[in-house]
Amino acid sequence: MPEPPADADAVLDGLDPEQRSVATALSGPVCVLAGAGTGKTRAITHRIAYGVRSGVLPPMSVLAVTFTNRAAGEMRGRLRQLGARGVQARTFHSAALKQLQYFWPKAVGGDPPRLLERKAQFVAEAAARNRIRLERAELRDVISEIEWAKVTQTVPEDYPVAVAKSGRDAPRDPAETARVYAGYEQLKQDRGVIDFDDVLLLTVGILQDRPDIAETVHRQYQHFVVDEYQDVSPLQQRLLELWLGGRDSLCVVGDASQTIYSFTGATPDHLLDFRTRHPDATLVRLVRDYRSTPQVVSLANGLLSQARGRAAEHRLELVSQRPAGPEPEFREHTDEPAEAEATAQQIRALLASGVPASEIAVLYRINAQSEIYEQALTDAGVPYQLKGAERFFERQEIRQAGLALRGSARAAGNDADLPDGLGLGEQVGAVLAGVGWNPEPPAGSGAARDRWESLRSLVRLAEGLAAARPGATLADFVTELEERAHAQHAPTVEGVTLASLHTAKGLEWDAVHLVGLTDGMLPLSHAKTPEQIEEERRLLYVGVTRARKHLTLSWALARTPGGRAGRRPSRFLDGLRPGSSSRSTAGGAGKGSVERGSGGRKSRGPVPCRVCGRTLTDATEIKLRRCTDCPSTMNEELFERLRAWRAVQAKELGRPAYTVFTDVTLMAIAEEEPSSARDLTRISGVGPHKLRQYGADVIALCEGREPGGPEEAGSAEGDAEPPSDDRATRRRPVRAEPEEDPAAEARMAAFLSDEEPPPEESDGDAWR
């Protein structure tokens, strides 16, 4: 341990001007808005130490609270180094539990109730009493809902209304959850136990109902410091107010741009409203970033410059204090395996250049994404460790699935659940139906969605194996899984960190790889409201600001090798990645560079709604160039004529109607009513191939003429092919036989499927 500073003034040595302002503001309310990497913990610990060493703050009168045991431990360690022993640094729950245990005999009488460390058994019993059967994943979801209800001070009978008012995406029927919640509370009461959420509730109750006990607490603690104040829940805020007892010796520290836990009840409103509640408060902004290079900081600033909403109005423009480093890299890949393999190779290069494995991280949105990176790093011989999640093959649902698949493979064609003629992916899906798999994702987010994502990963693996090895059997797939599991079950060693973005909060590395950055994954497809979208943006901001020097952002255009490249880079990268644009000015964005995987396609910029201007992400909306909720200008008569014409074309081809044009494309045409080939090509789904085949007919229909008539608009504009002497041939597509043109079939297949698939729905709240 280094020697503590010689005196109070020495505590201030080494602080920048803003940090010094925090440290010397010892009276009245203080609000510190601290950006990522700006030394907020340093500022507040030096403030406490300076107050203690100067005699202004008696050490036993100070209570510093934060949100994790790790953060509280770090704070205590720094205070000891600064010579400020005796200060209490605890989590909200730890401080409340200490008070509850001390005051219980006086407030209630007898010994305090036993603390229930795990809710699962009691919640399951409460569900059974209500004749509700909960799988393990569903049980976790109900527990999460009960915890949310408690931190928002919602009683069981009010839970359904509270869910509706909050816009919360409940994972199951709120009325059913309310019954389980009520039964759980009754069980605890009957057996004389409390849970961790009760610790806060009961402490609040005692302080409210017993002024004498509240006065004792007020005499003990007179000065308060709250770290990560943007994550305070309504219940924690109420407890803090009771601790204060109307006094104003309070210092809060936070960053609204790092609010990423709203699903737990956290809200930045308490931070943003601090000056309203305390008009005379000292406000200090920390913007000097000591963590990241100017290039990383520039990208982070650019990302927030496009943000909207209340938190965005209070964003901080960071200023890097580090020497220049490499530009952030933007990498586009053809498919997910290619992205994972390239990431592993980049990491090998970093290791070879001297970057320690412990200083490298791969961060993703949900835990279900980890498997492909576990495999890629294993194949590359790179050690890794997972944070906040089980290894893929150790997850309960994967173990159950493995047993079911091995049993079916041993049946060797005698499994009645596997009809003849199924592909390998369909076979796996049929087997997994027995352990709860359904092709349709569950409603809402949470543990049930996490389980679904894990099982879907197995179906994807089967589809990938079938594509790579035609004729592969279910037994082959089981062997593949066993080999993967064996390779990934090596003992955990110090290595590259794999973690979700939620888990990465509060951590930092020299090199960070942000992977899977596609619309539908970040933001998640279930993020619908502006508030939900903005929280997803803040999550990416947290990921970017974890990097000290090296930062790579990557995405894949397709899921599997050879799959259709229908994905789009995350909308949050618009205006930041080279070649993209944004309706917002992304001031301060880094220059960046792009490396595309082989076969990559040119990325497209954002598509705004032509009615309200909102950036569109849904495939149908992009094709129509408007939100589905915005008014339509479709010419109904034209739409019906287009459908009738399409039916004729499809019949001549002997193909389904959608292979000519999908209904959505016809709707877009009927809304736009193009008058030239140039206008027609602006409609998604009308490529050069289809323009040559059908352009003249479609324009004729839009102008009220019969297809094949005079004055064909496309040639008149001079932007389509010259008229052919054989109008029938020009009008009706003729499929070339392979022997005439070996590449024709591939070109035909590429153009026939003219509708972009929507981003694949993914969910999972990796933070739990």
Side-chain angles (χ1 to χ4, degrees):
M1 292 283 291
E3 288 294 320
D7 52 31
D9 289 340
V11 172
L12 303 178
D13 291 346
L15 299 181
D16 67 33
E18 294 78 26
Q19 292 172 342
R20 182 179 286 256
S21 296
V22 174
T24 55
L26 299 178
S27 62
V30 179
C31 180
V32 183
L33 301 180
T38 57
K40 66 179 179 64
T41 305
R42 177 180 175 83
I44 58 176
T45 52
H46 279 69
R47 177 184 185 272
I48 295 170
Y50 180 70
V52 169
R53 299 289 297 274
S54 63
V56 176
L57 303 179
M60 298 300 292
S61 73
V62 179
L63 176 60
V65 290
T66 186
F67 284 83
T68 66
N69 289 322
R70 181 185 60 80
E74 180 184 357
M75 195 177 292
R76 288 193 295 269
R78 293 197 188 196
L79 289 170
R80 284 196 300 271
Q81 291 175 15
L82 293 170
R85 294 180 180 274
V87 173
Q88 292 293 306
R90 297 179 175 275
T91 65
F92 269 100
H93 281 86
S94 173
L97 180 60
K98 191 176 181 67
Q99 294 174 24
L100 184 66
Q101 291 172 334
Y102 183 82
F103 291 113
W104 185 272
K106 181 178 181 180
V108 181
D111 294 332
R114 179 171 60 88
L115 184 63
L116 183 67
E117 295 188 3
R118 293 180 176 84
K119 303 180 179 74
Q121 182 178 347
F122 276 51
V123 174
E125 186 174 342
R129 289 187 175 188
N130 282 275
R131 298 184 178 180
I132 298 171
R133 184 175 180 273
L134 297 176
E135 297 289 345
R136 182 177 176 182
E138 296 172 321
L139 181 62
R140 287 166 52 197
D141 282 339
V142 172
I143 290 172
S144 296
E145 291 305 294
I146 291 173
E147 291 172 349
W148 174 82
K150 288 192 168 189
V151 300
T152 56
Q153 303 175 78
T154 302
V155 295
E157 55 266 30
D158 293 341
Y159 170 78
V161 174
V163 167
K165 284 184 177 179
S166 68
R168 186 173 178 82
D169 196 4
R172 61 186 303 111
D173 179 16
E176 196 174 74
T177 299
R179 294 200 302 275
V180 178
Y181 178 14
Y184 169 69
E185 293 299 304
Q186 187 62 51
L187 266 178
K188 286 190 302 166
Q189 183 177 335
D190 294 344
R191 297 178 186 177
V193 297
I194 61 174
D195 61 27
F196 275 103
D197 303 306
D198 293 328
V199 168
L200 299 184
L201 285 165
L202 290 170
T203 305
V204 165
I206 288 176
L207 294 177
Q208 286 180 157
D209 297 342
R210 293 291 299 268
D212 57 327
I213 293 177
E215 180 58 32
T216 303
V217 174
H218 296 160
R219 287 196 301 270
Q220 174 67 50
Y221 294 121
Q222 300 165 27
H223 308 282
F224 296 85
V225 176
V226 184
D227 191 16
E228 302 286 4
Y229 193 54
Q230 78 278 352
D231 291 332
V232 166
S233 71
L235 179 57
Q236 290 164 332
Q237 175 65 21
R238 179 58 184 149
L239 178 58
L240 178 62
E241 291 167 354
L242 290 167
W243 281 340
L244 283 164
R247 298 166 297 177
D248 64 359
S249 185
L250 171 65
C251 175
V252 300
V253 188
D255 180 8
S257 296
Q258 296 188 68
T259 305
I260 59 173
Y261 299 129
S262 67
F263 58 89
T264 68
T267 171
D269 290 346
H270 306 302
L271 174 66
L272 300 179
D273 291 338
F274 192 84
R275 291 290 294 276
T276 301
R277 297 194 307 275
H278 304 281
D280 58 339
T282 299
L283 177 65
V284 183
R285 292 182 175 86
L286 302 183
V287 297
R288 300 175 195 252
D289 188 313
Y290 296 95
R291 175 187 299 160
S292 305
T293 63
Q295 288 74 16
V296 173
V297 167
S298 182
L299 178 61
N301 287 337
L303 180 61
L304 283 191
S305 73
Q306 303 181 44
R308 296 291 180 268
R310 191 175 183 217
E313 295 171 2
H314 297 267
R315 62 180 174 265
L316 300 169
E317 186 84 8
L318 300 179
V319 181
S320 175
Q321 306 299 299
R322 291 194 57 183
E327 294 286 353
E329 296 185 36
F330 296 84
R331 291 176 173 252
E332 184 173 276
H333 301 279
T334 54
D335 51 65
E336 288 181 3
E339 182 182 10
E341 181 181 354
T343 300
Q345 293 307 315
Q346 271 190 287
I347 290 172
R348 281 177 60 93
L350 286 169
L351 294 172
S353 70
V355 180
S358 60
E359 288 296 341
I360 303 173
V362 178
L363 306 181
Y364 35 76
R365 178 61 180 88
I366 61 173
N367 284 328
Q369 293 172 271
S370 74
E371 192 276 335
I372 195 169
Y373 291 93
E374 293 179 56
Q375 184 66 42
L377 291 174
T378 298
D379 292 345
V382 176
Y384 68 88
Q385 56 178 333
L386 270 79
K387 280 195 177 293
E390 295 174 301
R391 291 171 180 262
F392 182 80
F393 287 102
E394 292 174 358
R395 297 171 193 170
Q396 185 191 40
E397 59 268 23
I398 299 302
R399 289 178 180 271
Q400 291 175 340
L403 288 172
L405 289 166
R406 282 193 291 273
S408 184
R410 282 195 298 269
N414 296 319
D415 191 334
D417 293 331
L418 295 180
D420 294 336
L422 294 182
L424 181 57
E426 294 170 313
Q427 291 180 52
V428 170
V431 173
L432 297 186
V435 294
W437 161 254
N438 188 306
E440 292 299 318
S445 60
R449 188 62 178 260
D450 288 344
R451 175 186 172 88
W452 184 85
E453 289 286 352
S454 294
L455 294 177
R456 183 171 71 157
S457 296
L458 292 183
V459 177
R460 287 177 166 184
L461 284 173
E463 292 169 348
L465 179 63
R469 292 166 52 190
T473 65
L474 193 58
D476 295 330
F477 179 63
V478 169
T479 300
E480 173 76 9
L481 290 183
E482 289 173 346
E483 291 175 353
R484 285 172 176 253
H486 177 74
Q488 294 178 24
H489 283 172
T492 300
V493 296
E494 183 70 14
V496 172
T497 298
L498 297 180
S500 70
L501 288 166
H502 280 104
T503 305
K505 178 74 167 65
L507 304 175
E508 58 187 77
W509 297 269
D510 284 345
V512 170
H513 299 263
L514 300 174
V515 298
L517 302 182
T518 59
D519 261 357
M521 185 57 73
L522 193 68
L524 283 173
S525 56
H526 78 24
K528 302 295 185 184
T529 68
E531 293 78 12
Q532 291 169 337
I533 295 293
E534 288 306 317
E535 181 151 342
E536 294 284 302
R537 187 194 305 275
R538 294 194 295 270
L539 196 53
L540 179 56
Y541 174 76
V542 166
V544 167
T545 55
R546 300 310 95 194
R548 298 192 190 105
K549 183 177 181 180
H550 304 279
L551 177 62
T552 301
L553 304 95
S554 65
W555 59 92
L557 297 176
R559 176 171 59 81
T560 57
R564 185 152 186 258
R567 293 177 171 178
R568 300 171 185 274
S570 170
R571 72 191 76 171
F572 300 145
L573 302 182
D574 291 342
L576 302 178
R577 58 186 175 86
S580 68
S581 60
S582 173
R583 289 185 291 115
S584 302
T585 302
K591 296 177 182 177
S593 62
V594 170
E595 255 184 61
R596 300 187 185 280
S598 59
R601 82 175 170 184
K602 185 177 180 180
S603 56
R604 289 173 281 187
V607 179
C609 172
R610 52 190 166 89
V611 179
C612 69
R614 180 180 72 86
T615 299
L616 304 176
T617 58
D618 179 79
T620 298
E621 292 181 342
I622 290 171
K623 191 179 287 287
L624 295 174
R625 293 202 304 114
R626 66 169 173 81
C627 303
T628 52
D629 295 335
C630 286
S632 171
T633 58
M634 186 174 73
N635 183 327
E636 297 283 353
E637 181 184 356
L638 174 58
F639 179 69
E640 292 304 324
R641 286 196 290 127
L642 287 166
R643 282 172 57 89
W645 164 84
R646 180 184 65 175
V648 173
Q649 303 299 314
K651 185 176 181 180
E652 291 182 2
L653 280 172
R655 288 176 173 270
Y658 70 83
T659 62
V660 179
F661 285 120
T662 64
D663 278 350
V664 177
T665 300
L666 295 186
M667 288 174 64
I669 293 170
E671 289 192 358
E672 298 281 350
E673 298 189 57
S675 60
S676 69
R678 183 177 291 110
D679 292 342
L680 187 57
T681 57
R682 295 193 183 103
I683 295 173
S684 177
V686 183
H689 188 75
K690 291 197 175 183
L691 181 66
R692 288 193 297 271
Q693 290 179 303
Y694 308 123
D697 282 7
V698 170
I699 292 169
L701 289 164
C702 290
E703 293 180 346
R705 298 182 286 106
E706 286 299 317
E711 300 179 11
E712 301 217 359
S715 57
E717 291 291 331
D719 57 0
E721 289 187 342
S724 167
D725 291 336
D726 185 352
R727 289 185 181 273
T729 301
R730 181 173 172 222
R731 212 169 55 244
R732 296 183 177 87
V734 178
R735 178 178 176 182
E737 294 298 326
E739 59 267 29
E740 297 177 271
D741 182 358
E745 185 69 23
R747 292 199 302 271
M748 177 69 78
F751 282 108
L752 281 177
S753 182
D754 67 288
E755 184 169 7
E756 290 280 355
E760 292 181 346
E761 293 190 1
S762 299
D763 196 294
D765 294 319
W767 180 75
R768 285 193 302 275

